[in-house]
Amino acid sequence: MFSLIIANLKMMVRNKQALFWSMVFPIIFTVIFGFFFGSGTMNLGTVELVNKSNSKISASLEKVLKEQSDIFKIEEQPSVDKAKDQINKGKAGAAVVIPENFGANTPDAATKITILTDPGAAQTASAVEGVVGGFLTSTNYQVTGIQPVFSFETEAANSSSSGFNYFDFVLVGLIGMAMMNSAVQGLAISISRYREDQILKRITTTPLPGWKFIVAEVIAQLIENIVQIGLIIFVGVQFFHAHVGHVVPLLIISLVAALLFQLVGFFIAAVTKNSDAAEGMATAITIPMMFLSGVFFPIDSLPKWLYNIVQILPLSPLLKMMRSVSLLGGSVLDNLIHVWIVLGWIVVMLLLTIWRFRLSDE
Amino acid sequence: MLLLLNVLNMEKVIEVKNLVKEYGALTAVKGTSFDVYKGEIFGLLGENGAGKTTSLEIIEGLRPATSGSIKVLSHVMPKELREIKRKIGVQLQSSAYYNHLKLSEILALFAKFYNVEVNPIELLKIVHLESKKDAFVSQLSGGQKQRFSIVASLVNDPEIVFLDEPTTGLDPVARRNLWGLIKEIRERGKTVILTTHYMEEAEILCDRIAIMDQGRIIAYDKTNNLIKKADYPYSVSFESDKDENKIIKALIDFGKLSQPGKKNHYVLKMKDSGKLGKVIDVVKTFAPIGLAIRPASLEDVFIELTGRTIENSL
């Protein structure tokens, strides 16, 4: 059986197409998300600034805007038209226009700032509005001499989750996605191709017991999964400063996920006629789950009726558990319903696979 | 008499009795019985769908029989299937092997399935593929693939080798190469059972043959005995541009006259070799081209038995 595991691993490495889907594909996702959201920054692009005033207040607003360099970059323009032009060309997401004599110490001085926005960059607009609004509020207090009474401060809900950001959230999601894709796609396609090529039939002519063949296949897949997880974490941490928190519990739940999805892969191979059909069915199962189970965004923000459906998809509780143990330092037992859903799926898929999967035709 | 004793002394390695295989309403094998003797090349001959592969795969243990009894090397099927699998080598019809393993790696892996160690290079030498030890199956030609597939069935040094349509789809040269290889396997002391729909192949290779038609065995004997049993042991064939009616009139009483192909091509099948000289004299008066006299072949026997040719039904 050891030699069969080695042979399986050799074949995985030599099969360029399968290697792409199992290794390169999740790494591409990691890199893309890393560029957008890595290093804890939330970069919203360029904001144009047209400052026609030379008052003290306008200079101080300009300084505050320029200090937001981790959110957006300020680019100065001489005229409103130029700024509008940049927005229309898609080179900037918003513009702040400070009119002539704004904040000057004269009775007829201008008091209104204009923020030009682009509907395509709503996030940029709200960030700029927030910064400018905050600045004007505190300036108003100073001018009118009122001491503010109410204030707020932000604090992470879970103390151990401080320091984690959206990229860390997505990175765990990507590990879950990689487990699902490589187990479902990889096994469904390779096993049904073995059947097509009569390799399964050929093996049943030898004294090799069927369970050894299956166990070798499962173990080789799990070894591949460990390499995948290592690679995703390495790229995320090394190049995009991701945080993964508790790696060991994350690894264990990931491999439980891989086993569950391997069962799905065996079942697809059992019920489809050929490898094309297996590939189609595997894609039809993995793509919706990729988007609905919370790989890229928390499913809690979905409408209630949809949430009730997607929360029982096998990947959803797995991702919640993976994030809970790695990012929040929680235990899988914190939310028993997730454990029950996963166990339920494993039992159902195991029974279905035992019922339908055969090495030989009859 | 001596021959008969010989047969009686021969050891039966496969015994099939009243084998039946049903697929729902369809009965693929309808109660066949035959034996295979140690050291012979035994052929199951018949057209596609006659039940050859089904029979073979039941004996290999790949499919359960509906009824009937099978013994392989004195082991009872399917009770002692594990024992049987250890002692037989199987080449499946158009079987492929792992795509991403080298030939030598596939042989070593399959040997492991039998818990034996092999030298893949020595095995590949048997089929002249030692230079391809690092190649993948997809890089082989059709003939090379079949040769590899046969040597892969030898990894456990089996007593019986099962070959399902080993030469189908090969060109004439590759086919002859493979015949040489199959004889070599027999010379190594192994028993070979093969299926084929090529008459010529069965005639040249097989010591004994069972001809299958629609799930039944319709003839079962030594190959040369089968040919001797032909209703028309001789045939005379020629081409002539002379008047068709005159030729037919002159020859019709000597045997079965037919025009199997071109209009001016005649074949006369004869029961009695004594009249051969007379027939030649008559034919010569029609200025024949390509006059040939030949003994009956397995194909003639097959046509007599089934009333059709294999090529027609393909």
Side-chain angles (χ1 to χ4, degrees):
Chain A
M1 192 159 81
F2 179 70
S3 22
L4 191 54
I5 296 172
I6 298 292
N8 281 334
L9 289 173
K10 268 186 196 166
M11 286 187 277
M12 279 175 184
V13 174
R14 287 176 190 162
N15 185 348
K16 297 288 177 296
Q17 197 195 351
L19 199 66
F20 175 83
W21 289 109
S22 62
M23 297 291 170
V24 183
F25 189 66
I27 292 301
I28 289 176
F29 267 79
T30 309
V31 171
I32 291 173
F33 277 92
F35 274 127
F36 275 103
F37 305 108
S39 317
T41 63
M42 185 172 67
N43 204 322
L44 296 173
T46 305
V47 171
E48 304 296 337
L49 174 67
V50 185
N51 187 358
K52 291 183 177 162
S53 166
N54 47 17
S55 69
K56 242 177 146 177
I57 291 176
S58 72
S60 126
L61 173 59
E62 188 174 328
K63 183 164 166 267
V64 168
L65 283 170
K66 284 180 178 167
E67 276 168 2
Q68 313 299 323
S69 60
D70 60 338
I71 305 178
F72 47 73
K73 198 178 116 221
I74 290 294
E75 186 179 69
E76 289 183 63
Q77 292 293 351
S79 72
V80 179
D81 287 342
K82 276 259 168 74
K84 278 184 179 168
D85 197 38
Q86 288 295 96
I87 294 174
N88 290 338
K89 280 181 184 162
K91 287 183 176 168
V96 179
V97 181
I98 306 174
E100 244 172 287
N101 292 326
F102 175 84
N105 224 345
T106 51
D108 58 342
T111 54
K112 220 172 206 125
I113 286 174
T114 313
I115 297 174
L116 302 170
T117 62
D118 174 8
Q123 274 188 298
T124 317
S126 61
V128 173
E129 280 165 19
V131 172
V132 174
F135 173 82
L136 292 182
T137 306
S138 68
T139 311
N140 285 337
Y141 285 144
Q142 279 176 26
V143 171
T144 52
I146 295 172
Q147 203 58 30
V149 179
F150 303 108
S151 69
F152 67 88
E153 60 180 1
T154 54
E155 192 181 291
N158 185 311
S159 59
S160 64
S161 74
S162 54
F164 292 116
N165 58 31
Y166 176 65
F167 180 60
D168 304 330
F169 170 90
V170 168
L171 196 73
V172 176
L174 290 175
I175 291 173
M177 180 190 85
M179 296 301 101
M180 174 178 73
N181 282 345
S182 73
V184 177
Q185 298 266 10
L187 265 183
I189 296 170
S190 72
I191 298 287
S192 59
R193 189 154 292 154
Y194 286 170
R195 186 191 307 284
E196 240 168 49
D197 292 348
Q198 300 213 33
I199 290 172
L200 292 185
K201 197 173 174 184
R202 179 69 181 81
I203 284 172
T204 54
T205 70
T206 74
L208 183 81
W211 67 266
K212 280 194 180 176
F213 172 82
I214 291 170
V215 170
E217 203 61 51
V218 169
I219 291 178
Q221 281 279 337
L222 289 179
I223 293 173
E224 183 191 29
N225 293 143
I226 293 172
V227 176
Q228 279 179 313
I229 296 169
L231 211 58
I232 294 171
I233 292 179
F234 173 79
V235 171
V237 171
Q238 191 67 29
F239 300 107
F240 304 104
H241 311 292
H243 315 83
V244 280
H246 307 275
V247 177
V248 176
L250 172 66
L251 186 70
I252 292 168
I253 298 178
S254 302
L255 294 183
V256 170
L259 279 173
L260 166 55
F261 289 120
Q262 283 189 19
L263 286 172
V264 177
F266 275 115
F267 180 69
I268 293 174
V271 295
T272 48
K273 289 252 181 296
N274 55 46
S275 60
D276 286 338
E279 189 168 356
M281 191 166 165
T283 310
I285 287 174
T286 53
I287 297 283
M289 256 206 278
M290 200 161 108
F291 289 103
L292 290 174
S293 287
V295 171
F296 306 115
F297 50 83
I299 51 173
D300 311 71
S301 55
L302 289 170
K304 185 90 177 129
W305 64 270
L306 188 56
Y307 175 77
N308 286 336
I309 298 170
V310 301
Q311 66 161 345
I312 56 165
L313 294 175
L315 187 58
S316 312
L318 283 164
L319 285 180
K320 287 203 163 180
M321 280 155 67
M322 284 161 71
R323 284 181 179 129
S324 161
V325 298
S326 70
L327 302 182
L328 307 179
S331 148
V332 288
L333 302 176
D334 289 349
N335 215 332
L336 276 174
I337 183 76
H338 297 151
V339 181
W340 287 119
I341 295 174
V342 171
L343 280 178
W345 274 107
I346 290 178
V347 170
V348 168
M349 290 317 300
L350 193 63
L351 290 177
L352 283 175
T353 306
I354 290 170
W355 174 48
R356 292 301 298 269
F357 187 78
R358 293 285 179 275
L359 285 183
S360 55
D361 304 343
E362 283 188 48
Chain B
M1 194 59 199
L2 196 70
L3 197 78
L4 188 68
L5 278 175
N6 243 340
V7 169
L8 287 176
N9 283 336
M10 280 169 87
E11 189 185 330
K12 287 176 188 172
V13 291
I14 298 175
E15 295 168 68
V16 177
K17 286 202 181 78
N18 301 318
L19 180 64
V20 175
K21 177 67 184 178
E22 288 169 359
Y23 291 102
L26 180 90
T27 308
V29 180
K30 302 169 182 166
T32 58
S33 300
F34 59 89
D35 299 321
V36 179
Y37 298 115
K38 188 180 164 81
E40 73 174 346
I41 300 180
F42 183 83
L44 282 172
L45 176 67
E47 60 194 84
N48 293 346
K52 304 177 308 258
T53 298
T54 307
S55 302
L56 206 64
E57 291 188 349
I58 292 170
I59 303 170
E60 292 160 355
L62 285 174
R63 296 170 189 278
T66 307
S67 67
S69 77
I70 297 167
K71 271 191 192 172
V72 179
L73 294 161
S74 309
H75 297 293
V76 179
M77 181 77 86
K79 221 175 80 193
E80 298 168 273
L81 182 57
R82 184 60 54 82
E83 271 312 300
I84 294 172
K85 281 180 175 178
R86 277 184 202 293
K87 295 178 179 174
I88 65 172
V90 174
Q91 183 233 19
L92 297 174
Q93 199 178 118
S94 69
S95 116
Y97 285 85
Y98 289 108
N99 264 328
H100 297 282
L101 286 183
K102 296 168 183 171
L103 298 193
S104 54
E105 291 171 343
I106 295 175
L107 293 180
L109 181 64
F110 270 81
K112 276 276 187 320
F113 294 167
Y114 295 91
N115 276 325
V116 295
E117 292 284 338
V118 291
N119 181 345
I121 311 296
E122 288 304 313
L123 278 171
L124 287 170
K125 271 185 189 162
I126 300 174
V127 289
H128 311 291
L129 284 173
E130 63 271 24
S131 61
K132 298 273 182 189
K133 66 179 170 52
D134 292 328
F136 297 108
V137 173
S138 55
Q139 295 165 326
L140 301 180
S141 71
Q144 288 172 333
K145 269 184 197 159
Q146 286 300 75
R147 267 149 58 199
F148 176 70
S149 172
I150 288 177
V151 78
S153 70
L154 300 178
V155 288
N156 57 327
D157 195 22
E159 292 179 41
I160 309 174
V161 181
F162 291 76
L163 306 175
D164 196 0
E165 309 244 344
T167 65
T168 297
L170 297 186
D171 63 63
V173 178
R175 176 171 301 152
R176 273 165 184 75
N177 278 334
L178 219 59
W179 291 348
L181 174 62
I182 293 169
K183 282 182 185 160
E184 229 179 282
I185 292 171
R186 190 253 298 272
E187 278 155 25
R188 287 168 181 261
K190 304 189 186 312
T191 308
V192 178
I193 171 167
L194 59 86
T195 67
T196 182
H197 60 250
Y198 295 112
M199 300 292 154
E200 191 195 3
E201 180 166 296
E203 194 174 332
I204 292 175
L205 268 183
C206 299
D207 300 304
R208 291 188 320 123
I209 291 171
I211 298 181
M212 289 194 75
D213 187 44
Q214 297 178 7
R216 291 200 170 81
I217 291 180
I218 54 170
Y220 166 57
D221 205 338
K222 288 197 166 191
T223 310
N224 47 17
N225 284 351
L226 278 179
I227 296 168
K228 269 188 232 160
K229 280 186 199 161
D231 290 342
Y232 300 91
Y234 303 96
S235 72
V236 175
S237 76
F238 63 95
E239 287 180 28
S240 169
D241 294 328
K242 300 284 180 197
D243 183 59
E244 194 181 336
N245 289 329
K246 277 187 184 165
I247 295 175
I248 293 173
K249 215 174 176 180
L251 292 173
I252 194 85
D253 291 336
F254 288 102
K256 206 168 119 190
L257 187 68
S258 64
Q259 288 166 283
K262 291 174 290 184
K263 213 169 179 315
N264 59 354
H265 182 218
Y266 301 87
V267 174
L268 178 69
K269 293 193 169 177
M270 298 174 58
K271 288 191 171 181
D272 185 0
S273 62
K275 288 179 183 161
L276 217 63
K278 214 170 198 177
V279 168
I280 301 297
D281 288 341
V282 174
V283 170
K284 274 183 178 164
T285 63
F286 295 113
I289 308 157
L291 173 64
I293 303 154
R294 57 180 189 88
S297 68
L298 197 57
E299 187 160 3
D300 298 317
V301 179
F302 186 84
I303 294 165
E304 282 169 18
L305 286 168
T306 64
R308 57 183 180 274
T309 65
I310 278 207
E311 283 73 15
N312 285 344
S313 60
L314 280 182

